[in-house]
Amino acid sequence: MVYLNIVCAVIASLLGFVFLCSLRRQKKARAHQNGNCLKSCENGTCDDAKMVESADIIVVGAGVVGSALAYTLGKDGRRVHVIERDLSEPDRIVGELLQPGGYLRLVELGLEDCVNEIDAQRVFGYALYKDGKSTKLPYPLENFHPDVAGRSFHHGRFIQRMREKASSLPNVRLEQGTVTSLLEEKGTVKGVQYKSKGSDLELNAHAPLTIVCDGCYSNLRHSLCNPKVDIPSCFVGLVLENCQLPYANHGHVILADPSPILFYPISSTEIRCLVDVPGQKVPSISGGEMSHYLKTKVAPQVPPELYAAFMAAADKGNIKSMPNRSMPAAPRPTPGVLLMGDAVNMRHPLTGGGMTVALSDIVVLRNLLRPLHNLNDATALCKYLESFYTLRKPVASTINTLAGALYRVFCASPDPARMEMRQACFDYLSLGGVFSNGPLALLSGLNPQPLSLVLHFFAVAVYAIGRLLLPFPCPKRMWIGARLVLGASGIIFPIINSEGVRQMFFPVTVASYYRTPPIN
């Protein structure tokens, strides 16, 4: 028995020794492989770039789209590598109002708790002001859960909550770094080249699919789409303290001269004010011209309840400005990469629809990717994902068109026909019932139907003509009415044309609408 134990011990020792030697050889082989230089995708020769462990999907940018997308894809089991230029809390004057339709998408993605614990305020509708008169426009929320409403908050707090949510998943990796270029091989994007924070070493990250969502200042979009950026105006932002809005938990829109002024709560003690300044240049903030402009031009048009706080905020001087961009989506499908968010599509932020579009896009993409277990066939995947840009169109183009059209209508103009249209829009919405519920359902993202948008837009024009011609039409009024119809058509049809008539109204006639998942 003793000899048997000795023999067994010797055999076990020999087997262990062989196993350890095998492990050592494998470790050396891996070290040798990792020590070899990486072949550049551009020229096929060795360079000094360091290879980063590959993922299923690389996400460039960790703003609203990138963070929500990383969590959504990570929750579906994908290995996601997110590269964000700056992971500190952002400080922006837009992206602070999430419409009810956007909140519903947040719930659908499992991210609704990201508006908790950031002092977010519930928003139930709008108050519209013109020439000292006001009208209350509630969201049509009667058929929804009591928790469904808009949310307004500090943009940076919301972003940090979503980043925390995404990074809580073990298969999602958030890294701070600057993406310098896409890695391409024979027309197919294989990943990205970037520099990690605090290092000059260029790293290469590879994945079967790269999703670029690096925002309105994207430096990667030019190779992936045909950007036609328009900057109709700038927002000047300041924060009001120690005051209450005339209509609690409502956004306030003042139809001022020359263009709208917005107020909405961003915390329990702060109210955001956004002053629209037409054009691409604003008075100097550092030189004091902006403060003077706000106090002399804007303040007299502010509701009396907010006047003192507005003047105090202008005197305080914590004023920021940001260009308002609009850009129709015009992607160039490229194997291995997808463009999302403000990098591919922007609209005027007057209606606060940007996050609703972004979150709706994520739902569309999630549903498209769910049937796919393998993303490695870049050509087949690219052809399949062309359907993403078609499927997103009805919602995105409706919100985009509404934002552009409302901005044009809400701006003051020396043209009597345009001013009549502006007054008619205010009066039409003031009628309440179906006349306000329909437009508010569009604006809130609860029912973004393109046909409903066109019908209500021209209903306002017909209402304006009726006001002009009753009780007694005259040649002058008839001429103004004719110009009003032409002006309304000149506002909405160019926007619809840039969005794409077929994709917006008849997406089922587009071939990519019927794309089926590639067979893996």
Side-chain angles (χ1 to χ4, degrees), residues 47-372:
D47 60 17
D48 295 328
K50 182 181 178 182
M51 183 176 178
V52 177
E53 183 181 357
S54 62
D56 297 319
I57 297 173
I58 293 171
V59 175
V60 181
V64 173
V65 178
S67 302
L69 187 62
Y71 176 76
T72 301
L73 298 177
K75 195 170 61 170
D76 280 356
R78 309 283 186 185
R79 293 175 300 160
V80 184
H81 182 190
V82 185
I83 305 172
E84 162 60 35
R85 182 182 59 83
D86 186 358
L87 285 173
S88 62
E89 183 175 310
D91 183 13
R92 296 183 63 193
I93 63 172
V94 293
E96 299 171 317
L97 177 60
L98 179 66
Q99 298 287 1
Y103 180 76
L104 285 174
R105 301 290 82 76
L106 207 65
V107 172
E108 189 172 352
L109 296 172
L111 289 164
E112 68 273 17
D113 57 345
C114 291
V115 297
N116 299 335
E117 301 177 4
I118 60 172
D119 200 15
Q121 304 298 298
R122 291 163 66 86
V123 178
F124 298 107
Y126 280 87
L128 191 61
Y129 283 74
K130 186 178 186 298
D131 299 330
K133 297 180 181 179
S134 66
T135 183
K136 185 178 178 181
L137 306 172
Y139 293 134
L141 299 172
E142 296 81 6
N143 298 324
F144 294 92
H145 187 276
D147 189 52
V148 177
R151 295 294 193 280
S152 54
F153 37 68
H154 280 271
H155 174 81
R157 297 175 187 174
F158 179 60
I159 294 298
Q160 292 302 89
R161 286 281 291 160
M162 288 208 295
R163 289 173 177 173
E164 291 168 8
K165 186 91 171 179
S167 60
S168 68
L169 298 176
N171 50 328
V172 174
R173 176 189 173 199
L174 258 70
E175 181 177 3
Q176 185 162 306
T178 302
V179 174
T180 55
S181 63
L182 298 172
L183 297 175
E184 292 189 34
E185 181 180 357
K186 298 179 180 179
T188 298
V189 173
K190 299 291 188 178
V192 300
Q193 188 169 83
Y194 72 103
K195 291 182 179 179
S196 189
K197 182 186 178 183
S199 172
D200 291 330
L201 181 65
E202 288 200 331
L203 306 174
N204 287 346
H206 292 91
L209 178 62
T210 298
I211 302 177
V212 175
C213 42
D214 54 347
C216 61
Y217 298 105
S218 173
N219 64 337
L220 301 176
R221 71 158 68 102
H222 292 280
S223 61
L224 303 172
C225 73
N226 301 308
K228 296 180 181 178
V229 181
D230 181 38
I231 304 178
S233 66
C234 297
F235 265 158
V236 175
L238 55 163
V239 175
L240 279 57
E241 300 173 328
N242 304 317
C243 65
Q244 297 293 327
L245 288 166
Y247 296 88
N249 298 101
H250 282 67
H252 291 54
V253 181
I254 290 83
L255 303 188
D257 181 14
S259 51
I261 306 168
L262 307 181
F263 294 93
Y264 51 86
I266 55 174
S267 75
S268 55
T269 60
E270 299 165 299
I271 294 170
R272 168 67 71 193
C273 173
L274 293 175
V275 178
D276 185 84
V277 179
Q280 300 184 22
K281 294 183 178 180
V282 299
S284 170
I285 295 176
S286 58
E289 287 88 347
M290 176 58 73
S291 178
H292 178 75
Y293 174 83
L294 293 174
K295 289 190 285 187
T296 58
K297 178 68 174 178
V298 178
Q301 304 181 77
V302 169
E305 299 91 333
L306 302 174
Y307 180 83
F310 182 88
M311 293 293 286
D315 285 329
K316 189 175 181 180
N318 187 18
I319 303 169
K320 298 180 180 179
S321 68
M322 179 175 180
N324 293 325
R325 294 174 169 84
S326 62
M327 183 181 77
R332 291 199 298 266
T334 304
V337 66
L338 191 72
L339 201 56
M340 290 185 68
D342 283 352
V344 70
N345 184 207
M346 293 179 280
R347 76 289 311 152
H348 197 286
L350 173 70
T351 59
M355 288 189 286
T356 301
V357 173
L359 296 170
S360 297
D361 284 354
I362 292 171
V363 171
V364 172
L365 182 61
R366 178 200 64 182
N367 295 339
L368 286 173
L369 290 179
R370 269 184 171 171
L372 304 181

Side-chain angles (χ1 to χ4, degrees), residues 397 400-402 404-405 408 490-500:
S397 57
N400 295 345
T401 304
L402 179 65
R408 294 281 301 277
I491 288 174
I492 196 167
F493 287 140
I495 303 175
I496 290 175
N497 184 59
S498 66
E499 291 289 332

